[in-house]
Amino acid sequence: MTLANATVQSGRHGPPGSPESRRGGTAPRINRHSGTWFLVLPALIPILVLSVGPLLYGIALAFTDAQSGRTRSTQWVGGLNFQDLLHDALFWDSFRIGLVWAVGVTVPQFVLALGLALLLNQNLRMRWLARALAIIPWAMPEVVVGIMWRLVYNPDAGVLNETIRDLGLGDGRDWLTGLATALPAVIVVGIWAGMPQTTVALLAGLQNTPHELHEAAALDGAGAWRRFRTVTWPALRPVALSITALSFIWNFNSFALVYVLTNGGPGGRTRLPMLFAYEEAFRYGQFGYAAAMGCVMVAVISVVLAVHLAGRLRGGDDQ
């Protein structure tokens, strides 16, 4: 046997006595990622069953005339529900109210949460107690929050009207049933209830900012505002963009808080899209039509997420 043949045979079957030579072939290649699916599967199954499955079923339901009633058959109607939505003034009015609600809650919520996070990031006495008190609204269910604020806004014995009377500013008013005050009053509650999670996210971003950068900027003579603009905000911007996008989505999908406070009234002034879809489905039994509304809202949320992801990717390229 020549040296070249011996080399080829040794490379093909392995050295004498090796497992490859005993089997008469090369060793099988082990896929390192073969066991990954078994680790991901327990978390993937609930997502598919509880999220993806109902979403696909709702999209399919939007193309039918499904209504309540056991004996009524469901027919495929194509895009008829979406055509009806285009001419439904009540739906577009609720959509406008939902946008006003989402923006009116998200923007002040972020500004106030940023100020609170900056305050809690300082080396203050009893800071642990202030941080604990700041997250109390987050720990309360939305139904409890709604009931509590209904008591605050109570026209006869509410804390707000009693304070107005004690200060001699008037006799107060019925905040949740007034056409001009219902939506602003509900927005105030939304800001209060959603501020803790925004504060916690921003506070985490502030604590991840290297303290040495602030010290270096202070040594260079930078004031508080300049340090915030040149050091704090660039480090905080990714967290701020993420929590703002998530807050907008959460607020746009709000249901329980507004349902408890006003049930969409008065006169539909606080009827958010989720409330309108709920009424169409469970009050009037128009399941297909309500599912079409849900598809439109999913499309809006998808656009918001796409814009957010595009901004994150563009920011990553800039860095």
Side-chain angles (χ1 to χ4, degrees):
M1 179 182 296
T2 63
L3 180 60
N5 292 335
T7 303
V8 173
Q9 185 175 1
S10 175
R12 182 178 300 171
H13 301 293
S18 65
E20 291 84 353
S21 64
R22 290 196 299 268
R23 289 194 298 268
T26 58
R29 298 181 62 184
I30 299 176
N31 187 2
R32 297 180 180 179
H33 302 286
S34 59
T36 305
W37 286 105
F38 293 99
L39 299 176
V40 176
L41 200 60
L44 188 60
I45 290 177
I47 294 176
L48 294 175
V49 174
L50 301 177
S51 297
V52 179
L55 176 62
L56 296 177
Y57 177 73
I59 294 175
L61 199 67
F63 295 92
T64 66
D65 62 347
Q67 298 181 10
S68 60
R70 295 183 178 180
T71 60
R72 192 186 184 285
S73 60
T74 300
Q75 303 294 330
W76 182 268
V77 296
L80 183 61
N81 289 326
F82 295 96
Q83 293 178 10
D84 293 339
L85 276 179
L86 291 176
H87 302 91
D88 192 342
L90 292 178
F91 171 73
W92 291 113
D93 188 55
S94 71
F95 196 85
R96 178 188 60 81
I97 294 172
L99 290 177
V100 172
W101 154 266
V103 175
V105 172
T106 302
V107 175
Q109 188 180 92
F110 174 79
V111 174
L112 294 175
L114 179 60
L116 183 59
L118 291 172
L119 179 63
L120 295 178
N121 194 44
Q122 302 298 319
N123 190 15
L124 304 175
R125 296 181 59 184
M126 304 293 289
R127 183 174 59 177
W128 61 271
L129 179 60
R131 290 180 176 180
L133 294 176
I135 64 173
I136 286 180
W138 197 7
M140 299 174 63
E142 287 187 317
V143 175
V144 176
V145 173
I147 295 174
M148 182 185 70
W149 277 90
R150 281 183 65 92
L151 296 176
V152 172
Y153 284 134
N154 187 279
D156 298 323
V159 175
L160 181 58
N161 281 342
E162 288 293 333
T163 303
I164 292 175
R165 296 187 188 101
D166 292 341
L167 295 176
L169 300 177
D171 295 331
R173 59 194 309 171
D174 198 345
W175 299 93
L176 294 177
T177 59
L179 295 177
T181 59
L183 185 58
V186 173
I187 287 176
V188 170
V189 181
I191 294 171
W192 182 86
M195 201 168 68
Q197 59 262 36
T198 307
T199 303
V200 170
L202 295 176
L203 182 59
L206 290 173
Q207 292 180 341
N208 288 330
T209 305
H211 187 66
E212 294 79 7
L213 297 178
H214 291 276
E215 293 179 349
L219 290 176
D220 291 338
W225 169 247
R226 187 175 179 183
R227 291 199 304 270
F228 174 80
R229 185 171 54 87
T230 59
V231 178
T232 304
W233 179 248
L236 195 63
R237 183 169 54 187
V239 178
L241 292 176
S242 298
I243 194 61
T244 302
L246 291 176
S247 296
F248 181 86
I249 293 172
W250 289 332
N251 293 324
F252 187 76
N253 288 329
S254 294
F255 173 79
L257 185 62
V258 181
Y259 182 79
V260 174
L261 284 170
T262 62
N263 196 17
R269 294 300 176 92
T270 61
R271 185 188 290 124
L272 303 182
M274 281 294 181
L275 280 171
F276 192 79
Y278 171 82
E279 291 179 352
E280 289 293 326
F282 299 104
R283 179 175 295 181
Y284 305 113
Q286 301 294 329
F287 295 137
Y289 193 57
M293 297 179 187
C295 290
V296 173
M297 287 182 278
V298 169
V300 172
I301 293 171
S302 299
V303 170
V304 174
L305 286 176
V307 172
H308 168 65
L309 292 176
R312 291 297 302 272
L313 292 176
R314 188 165 52 250
D317 295 339
D318 295 339
Q319 294 175 358

